[in-house]
Amino acid sequence: MELLERYIKDIAEDLKIDDFNIKQVQLTTPGKKHFWVARLIKHKIEIEKLKKDLTEAAIEACPINLKIHTIEKTVNESDCITNLDYKIKELELIIELLEKTEKIFASLTYDIGNIVKIMTLEQTG
């Protein structure tokens, strides 16, 4: 979960907007969105690879001539499979976070536009 925590911290930092950095945020938002979408795609690829590895590990751990119950027991007790399963669950959480982050970055342009309008109104009023 270390990677998830780091991503949460980094995303929060990327989404900070105040009076002093609004222009910088506006200019860097497309690049940041690309950065996080690239991470999303990378992790989706990684989870597919882990699922393939999990399947291969299950096949290796269970000879074909065993009964289904025995195969399931062997698979569930395998450290390799338990570790892969943990990694898959962690990546699924990371993917969920990144999908929601992508939506936030998509609406950030409108948010910045609204902030600029408010700031303009405050200066003229």
Side-chain angles (χ1 to χ4, degrees):
M1 296 293 173
E2 184 178 309
L3 183 60
L4 180 62
E5 293 297 324
R6 191 178 90 218
Y7 279 3
I8 290 169
K9 180 182 172 193
D10 291 349
I11 291 167
E13 192 65 34
D14 285 347
L15 292 173
K16 282 186 182 176
I17 301 174
D18 58 37
D19 292 346
F20 303 109
N21 75 347
I22 192 160
K23 184 175 181 180
Q24 178 189 359
V25 171
Q26 189 173 22
L27 294 173
T28 59
T29 294
K32 289 179 181 179
K33 181 178 178 183
H34 171 76
F35 175 85
W36 290 111
V37 169
R39 292 290 178 279
L40 173 63
I41 299 303
K42 175 185 169 246
H43 289 303
K44 283 186 175 186
I45 291 168
E46 188 177 356
I47 200 168
E48 288 305 313
K49 183 186 178 311
L50 283 173
K51 286 179 179 178
K52 181 181 175 192
D53 292 349
L54 183 61
T55 303
E56 290 173 358
I59 290 169
E60 288 178 18
C62 302
I64 294 175
N65 61 354
L66 294 176
K67 293 183 179 183
I68 297 295
H69 175 70
T70 307
I71 292 172
E72 289 173 350
K73 183 178 177 188
T74 304
V75 167
N76 290 334
E77 292 175 357
S78 169
D79 288 339
C80 173
I81 292 173
T82 303
N83 290 338
L84 287 173
D85 192 45
Y86 176 79
K87 287 179 184 178
I88 288 170
K89 287 178 181 169
E90 181 180 18
L91 283 173
E92 286 172 343
L93 289 173
I94 290 170
I95 286 170
E96 183 180 345
L97 170 72
L98 292 176
E99 287 173 341
K100 291 179 181 187
T101 298
E102 192 268 334
K103 290 178 183 176
I104 291 168
F105 274 106
S107 68
L108 191 59
T109 305
Y110 300 108
D111 295 338
I112 291 172
N114 290 335
I115 292 169
V116 169
K117 287 177 186 174
I118 290 170
M119 290 171 66
T120 303
L121 289 172
E122 288 176 348
Q123 290 176 356
T124 59

